[in-house]
């Protein structure tokens, strides 16, 4: 029987961590779109940092020769024809079988030397996802020249904190590591750059163990251009947060919506009721109809929340069983 890394088996844990730091069982996932100026260096740096890992570059319809450069640098190159980072991540998660997964952008903004630090908590069974945190040490604020990106990151962090009660240091980072169970049981629904937000919310909602790992960050080198649109992609991220809140926490979503409708209904309805008790007449008939309609819709919203909450709990139970099956399969490997 193979030794298992546990708290009570320090030797096996140290051995597992050391092997993972060399890249044993690690798949490095690099989604790319027109990253010709940087992809060769990214591949070379991660080959040096994780010599036993397999580096996969998924080319997303690049027109600048990114795929050929990555292949020449020693990466396994695959293509994803559906445009968008979320579509690429979906294919990577489906296609690749590994013990640990390290996802990094191909723009050479994340340090390969931090790869071992992101993988180690997974190998030590201390985390299911690690997040390359650019924020807490000030690296992102110092290097990044796009102030609205900092604002957007902080806004998303606060929203997740309010809704889910977990405070990420860096929600939008593209540098993360995952266990096999995390990857193989996550349904990727996003098509674009909101994938980082989806992964973060999924991890919190499903109570995966998350560890923030502070990293250095450097801005894109000259000649490399960001594909992120601050405002349009930012709106997609906010829409994704609202959609996931509705799907994962329907009772809270529809409950707060129903409460808001009920408050508005009372604002219209109480003066009508007060007038009726004073005069015995309802002079403001439109206000009375609107108040009744709002209270009916509020009740329907609460009812929908209760029903969908039951469905969500059923899905959660089914998901828990799928996690057990993946972990059992891993134990038998």
């Amino acid at each position: 029987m193979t030794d298992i890394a546990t708290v009570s088996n320090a030797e096996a844990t140290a051995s597992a961590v050391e092997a993972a730091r060399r890249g044993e069982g690690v798949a490095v996932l690099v989604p790319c779109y027109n990253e010709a100026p940087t992809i060769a260096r990214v591949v070379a740096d991660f080959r040096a940092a994780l010599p036993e890992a397999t580096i996969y570059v998924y080319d997303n319809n690049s027109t600048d020769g990114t795929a050929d450069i990555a292949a020449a640098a020693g990466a396994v190159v695959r293509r994803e024809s559906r445009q968008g980072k979320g579509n690429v991540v979906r294919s990577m998660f489906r296609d690749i079988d590994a013990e640990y997964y390290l996802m990094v952008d191909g723009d050479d903004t994340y340090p390969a030397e931090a790869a071992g630090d992101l993988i180690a908590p997974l190998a030590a069974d201390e985390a299911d996802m690690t997040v390359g945190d650019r924020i807490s040490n000030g690296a992102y604020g110092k290097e990044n020249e796009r102030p609205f990106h900092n604002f957007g990151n902080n806004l998303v962090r606060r929203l997740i904190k309010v809704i889910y009660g977990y405070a990420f240091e860096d929600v939008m980072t593209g540098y993360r590591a995952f266990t096999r169970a995390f990857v193989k049981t996550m349904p990727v629904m996003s098509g674009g750059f909101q994938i980082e937000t989806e992964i973060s919310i999924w991890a919190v909602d499903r109570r995966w163990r998350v560890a923030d790992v502070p990293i250095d960050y450097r801005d894109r080198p000259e000649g490399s251009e960001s594909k992120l649109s601050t405002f349009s992609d930012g709106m997609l991220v906010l829409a994704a947060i609202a959609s996931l809140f509705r799907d994962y926490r329907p009772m809270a979503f529809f409950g707060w919506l129903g409460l808001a409708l009920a408050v508005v209904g009372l604002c219209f309805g109480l003066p009508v009721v007060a007038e009726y008790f004073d005069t015995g007449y309802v002079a403001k008939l439109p206000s009375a109809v609107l108040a009744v309609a709002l209270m009916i819709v509020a009740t329907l919203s609460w009812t929908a929340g209760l029903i969908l909450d039951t469905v969500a709990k059923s899905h959660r139970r089914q998901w828990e069983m799928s996690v057990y099956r993946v972990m059992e399969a891993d134990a038998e490997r």
Side-chain angles (χ1 to χ4, degrees), residues 73-202:
V76 177
V77 178
R78 296 179 179 175
R79 287 180 169 82
E80 171 53 57
S81 60
R82 293 166 296 183
Q83 197 66 38
K85 187 175 182 179
N87 291 322
V88 177
V89 172
R90 182 185 302 109
S91 291
M92 292 191 298
F93 282 9
R94 285 178 180 175
D95 297 347
I96 298 171
D97 193 29
E99 191 170 357
Y100 309 111
Y101 299 78
L102 182 72
M103 186 171 72
V104 63
D105 293 338
D107 55 9
D108 194 32
T109 58
Y110 298 104
E113 55 269 21
D117 294 336
L118 269 77
I119 293 292
L122 309 182
D125 196 30
E126 296 171 352
D128 303 293
M129 178 180 79
T130 55
V131 178
D133 165 26
R134 308 162 295 174
I135 305 297
S136 61
N137 61 6
Y140 188 69
K142 188 183 301 181
E143 288 288 328
N144 180 48
E145 298 178 354
R146 294 156 293 184
F148 283 107
H149 284 203
N150 288 319
F151 171 79
N153 205 331
N154 289 331
L155 175 61
V156 174
R157 287 174 57 212
R158 291 191 180 99
L159 285 174
I160 293 177
K161 171 65 176 176
V162 169
I163 295 172
Y164 295 94
Y166 184 89
F168 279 95
E169 294 294 340
D170 189 354
V171 177
M172 308 302 292
T173 179
Y175 201 14
R176 301 166 185 260
F178 318 95
T179 60
R180 185 174 182 275
F182 186 104
V183 165
K184 294 303 181 182
T185 60
M186 178 183 174
V188 177
M189 306 302 293
S190 300
F193 279 104
Q194 62 269 43
I195 181 62
E196 280 92 0
T197 303
E198 181 183 359
I199 291 173
S200 299
I201 291 176
W202 173 263

Side-chain angles (χ1 to χ4, degrees), residues 140-289:
Y140 188 69
K142 188 183 301 181
E143 288 288 328
N144 180 48
E145 298 178 354
R146 294 156 293 184
F148 283 107
H149 284 203
N150 288 319
F151 171 79
N153 205 331
N154 289 331
L155 175 61
V156 174
R157 287 174 57 212
R158 291 191 180 99
L159 285 174
I160 293 177
K161 171 65 176 176
V162 169
I163 295 172
Y164 295 94
Y166 184 89
F168 279 95
E169 294 294 340
D170 189 354
V171 177
M172 308 302 292
T173 179
Y175 201 14
R176 301 166 185 260
F178 318 95
T179 60
R180 185 174 182 275
F182 186 104
V183 165
K184 294 303 181 182
T185 60
M186 178 183 174
V188 177
M189 306 302 293
S190 300
F193 279 104
Q194 62 269 43
I195 181 62
E196 280 92 0
T197 303
E198 181 183 359
I199 291 173
S200 299
I201 291 176
W202 173 263
V204 174
D205 183 73
R206 288 304 191 262
R207 300 179 183 177
W208 289 110
R209 297 167 298 172
V210 180
D212 291 304
V213 178
I215 61 169
D216 291 326
Y217 175 84
R218 50 182 178 261
D219 208 1
R220 283 175 172 268
E222 188 175 350
S224 176
E225 297 182 0
S226 174
K227 288 77 181 175
L228 181 64
S229 173
T230 302
F231 293 102
S232 61
D233 286 319
M235 293 305 297
L236 288 175
V237 168
L238 294 177
I241 292 174
S243 176
L244 293 170
F245 180 33
R246 180 199 63 204
D247 294 344
Y248 295 162
R249 304 286 176 90
M251 189 64 250
F253 180 87
F254 288 100
W256 282 108
L257 178 61
L259 179 61
L261 291 169
V263 169
V264 176
L266 289 173
C267 290
F268 282 99
L270 288 178
V272 175
V273 173
E275 182 185 39
Y276 175 78
F277 281 117
D278 286 341
T279 66
Y281 295 97
V282 177
K284 300 177 180 178
L285 185 60
S287 295
V289 172

